[in-house]
Amino acid sequence: MSSLSGMTGFGRADGAGEGWTWSVEARSVNGRNLEIRFRGPNGFDALERAAKAAGQARFARGQVTVGVQAKRVEAGEAAVTINAAVLARYLTLANELAEDGATPPSADGLLALRGVIEAPEEVDDPEDRAVLEAAMAHTVEEALDALKASRQNEGAQLTPVLEDFIARIETLTMQAEGEATVQVEAIRERFTRRITELAPDAPGLEDRIFLEAAALATKADVREELDRLTAYVASARQLVASAPAGRKLDFLMQEFMREANTLCSKSATTALTGIGLELKAVIEQLREQVQNVE
């Protein structure tokens, strides 16, 4: 049995290696289907494919955005070297010029000359790039795991809310069942009063009243609707206890509302109509919350 998950959340992870540092942010919002968007540095096409595959393995619905920011680590002082041969040639020339009266060179002036200081070249070896992308892909998975935990936390908060609405629907359905038994007699009494007022001396009046009242009562019978509502309540509870359940709950909300609408249209008493309208309001509230479920 899996816990319910929401569709809104955020996750972040950082990494470093191969002369790079990077950070990954993964966030998601509600969505009818699963849509994964990727934003990352140029030249990391394999990373985008890895991010989308990792997202599809973890989520069933929602708009998921994965953003990667990466930069090379600047070379530190230890990585800088001095080309002694080039520096010696510059010193020789500088000394010759000094003998002719020129100003002796300063240390910072010599170091600023081209070729004296050498920084390590940035080698973009395919194997090194593959190792780098693999490390970054691992960080992407960490961010997506954090996003998944965030969505599950939302689901944990949603679960009691959904269960409360389902319980209210169950209570209203039971109230409607009690009122439905009274409705048949109310229809009979109303029809009898009208027929008696319109044709009090009509032959075979009692038989006519019985047949017509029975027909009207049959049309107004809401037992099937109430039975289906009861079955839907049980299905909703099972879905809330499993994941992912968002799409199935979406469909179930349509079925709930269809039965509530039919109940209202068949109602012959003010009390049953009131229950039906309240039932529709609670179902709509439940439907709004279901939009947050994965």
Side-chain angles (χ1 to χ4, degrees), residues 149-258:
S150 177
R151 288 170 51 138
Q152 288 176 335
N153 182 60
E154 183 193 27
Q157 296 176 4
L158 278 172
T159 298
V161 176
L162 300 180
E163 290 174 342
D164 179 64
F165 281 125
I166 294 170
R168 289 170 61 185
I169 292 174
E170 182 179 41
T171 298
L172 289 169
T173 301
M174 293 173 63
Q175 292 176 2
E177 288 177 349
E179 187 60 34
T181 59
V182 180
Q183 176 167 272
V184 175
E185 187 59 30
I187 292 173
R188 189 189 307 276
E189 291 179 359
R190 186 183 306 165
F191 182 78
T192 300
R193 184 170 59 254
R194 292 184 61 185
I195 292 297
T196 302
E197 291 173 353
L198 293 173
D201 299 325
L205 183 59
E206 291 186 3
D207 292 340
R208 178 70 181 276
I209 289 174
F210 178 80
L211 293 174
E212 292 294 337
L216 289 173
T218 299
K219 291 181 179 179
D221 187 5
V222 294
R223 284 177 296 181
E224 289 187 6
E225 287 72 22
L226 295 175
D227 287 343
R228 282 193 285 268
L229 283 170
T230 300
Y232 294 158
V233 165
S235 296
R237 286 199 170 108
Q238 291 178 353
L239 289 174
V240 169
S242 62
R247 288 192 180 91
K248 293 180 180 179
L249 284 170
D250 274 342
F251 174 76
L252 194 59
M253 294 307 100
Q254 300 176 26
E255 300 304 306
F256 265 124
M257 189 60 75
R258 180 178 292 110

Side-chain angles (χ1 to χ4, degrees), residues 237-293:
R237 286 199 170 108
Q238 291 178 353
L239 289 174
V240 169
S242 62
R247 288 192 180 91
K248 293 180 180 179
L249 284 170
D250 274 342
F251 174 76
L252 194 59
M253 294 307 100
Q254 300 176 26
E255 300 304 306
F256 265 124
M257 189 60 75
R258 180 178 292 110
E259 301 306 327
N261 285 330
T262 305
L263 179 68
C264 288
S265 67
K266 286 186 174 183
S267 173
T269 66
T270 302
L272 186 57
T273 299
I275 294 173
L277 292 175
E278 186 177 356
L279 187 60
K280 289 175 62 175
V282 175
I283 292 171
E284 179 60 26
Q285 290 175 312
L286 176 58
R287 188 195 67 80
E288 292 176 357
Q289 294 297 327
V290 164
Q291 302 308 305
N292 301 315
V293 177

Side-chain angles (χ1 to χ4, degrees), residues 67-151:
V68 179
Q69 292 185 336
K71 63 179 181 179
R72 290 185 183 272
V73 179
E74 294 183 0
E77 294 182 358
V80 175
T81 61
I82 296 177
N83 191 320
V86 174
L87 179 59
R89 288 197 294 270
Y90 280 131
L91 281 171
T92 301
L93 292 172
N95 289 331
E96 292 176 356
L97 292 173
E99 291 176 356
D100 294 334
T103 303
S106 62
D108 57 344
L110 287 171
L111 293 175
L113 294 174
R114 184 174 182 179
V116 175
I117 294 180
E118 295 180 339
E121 295 183 2
E122 295 180 346
V123 179
D124 196 10
D125 182 84
E127 293 184 1
D128 292 340
R129 174 54 65 94
V131 173
L132 174 61
E133 288 184 340
M136 295 174 74
H138 179 71
T139 306
V140 168
E141 292 185 354
E142 290 179 340
L144 290 173
D145 286 338
L147 172 60
K148 185 175 181 66
S150 177
R151 288 170 51 138

